Amino acid sequence: MFRKRTKLILAAVLLCFAAGMFSMSLLRIRDHTTAFTPRVWTSQPSTSVPMYPLHPIDETSEPIRSLHAVYVKINGQAGLFLLDTGASDTVVSARFARTLQIPDQEIQTLQVEGNIQADTVRAFKAQSLQIGDVLYTDFLVMVLELEHIQSWTHTDLDGILGGNVLNALPYRVDFARRTFTISEQIRIPPEQAIPIRLLSNHIHIDAAVNGRPIVFVLDTGASSTLLDKKQLDFLFPQGPPEAELAPGKVIDINQETLTDREKLILPNLQIGPITESQWPVTLQDINLLGQDFTARFVLVMDPRRSHMGLLLSE
């Protein structure tokens, strides 16, 4: 086993019961290397696979129904993976990694920083990851303990499908029909195209709140939209709307903790051609566009042309 000096930042996995919010955005990688970038092979012009919503345990967990997973094969082994544009890279659970029987000499140790108790995580080079007829080969996959997340979501999640795989080809996510499609033939109507920027495999979207510019990260692993509390003074020079304090539970890489979260109502939120009034957000330390906004549409992503679309379901 050898050591590689790659810095990772692991963000919080967050649930607010009273605020009705759950975020699965796990990680982004600093000093990202091509070792995490897969080669892509396609045998068909288009491939589609079914999506499966996560199941809530009780009524307070209802928002996790907006989170979806798909079955993929890693090194020929099938597993259920969360579809998460908020994660920069693909992760497997420690339990799933054991089923792959990776030889010790092929396990790498990566140095990390952030909200994780250890200062290293394990990784291995996946020979293949298959979604339908699309094959991704020869890239690093992280191994993390996900048991407490599996327990809370009441779902046998085997891993997280992150941006290094998702952004390799254009794709379409039809939440209403629960279908995930990968196709180089995907096109977005010009009048509905929303410019995006890919930074460390995260999708950055220019938006407007209260008529003022702001940038969100698209996160299909977050059930609700988050707003960076530090930007309130800029967005609302005359003073922000009154926020409500609500108890909640934070589930991160290490543990579950109870805490309070602030929630407020935005007078308006504009994403490309879409404008919403009286939109609820939870105050945090990052801007994430969550599934409360996105899952009402068909999400169409064209990373190569730096555009996305939020289309009405047919």
Side-chain angles (χ1 to χ4, degrees), residues 269-280:
L269 170 61
Q270 182 177 1
I271 307 288
I274 302 166
T275 300
E276 298 289 349
S277 300
Q278 303 301 302
W279 196 262

Side-chain angles (χ1 to χ4, degrees), residues 145-167:
E145 292 289 350
L146 302 179
E147 288 185 2
H148 59 297
I149 299 170
Q150 294 160 342
S151 175
W152 183 82
T153 59
H154 209 232
T155 304
D156 250 350
L157 280 178
D158 294 303
I160 313 292
L161 196 61
N164 63 327
V165 169
L166 293 174
N167 297 328

Side-chain angles (χ1 to χ4, degrees), residues 32 36-42 83-85 87-90 129 131 134-137 139 161-172 180-186 196 198 200-203 301-306:
H32 201 278
F36 295 93
T37 304
R39 297 180 179 180
V40 184
W41 312 84
T42 58
L83 200 66
D84 191 357
T85 61
S88 64
D89 292 87
T90 296
L129 184 152
I131 306 174
V134 182
L135 196 65
Y136 306 81
T137 63
F139 64 101
L161 196 61
N164 63 327
V165 169
L166 293 174
N167 297 328
L169 290 172
Y171 60 89
R172 177 186 178 96
F180 177 61
T181 301
I182 304 171
S183 174
E184 299 207 42
Q185 300 175 341
I186 284 176
I196 61 170
L198 284 181
S200 298
N201 278 334
H202 290 122
I203 299 164
M301 190 64 58
D302 191 349
R304 295 179 176 180
R305 294 178 177 83
S306 300

Side-chain angles (χ1 to χ4, degrees), residues 14-17 19-23 63 222-226 249 261 282:
L14 182 65
L15 159 69
C16 293
F17 282 140
M21 191 272 289
F22 175 75
S23 172
S223 65
S224 297
T225 297
L226 306 186
K249 182 183 290 186
R261 294 289 163 185
T282 299

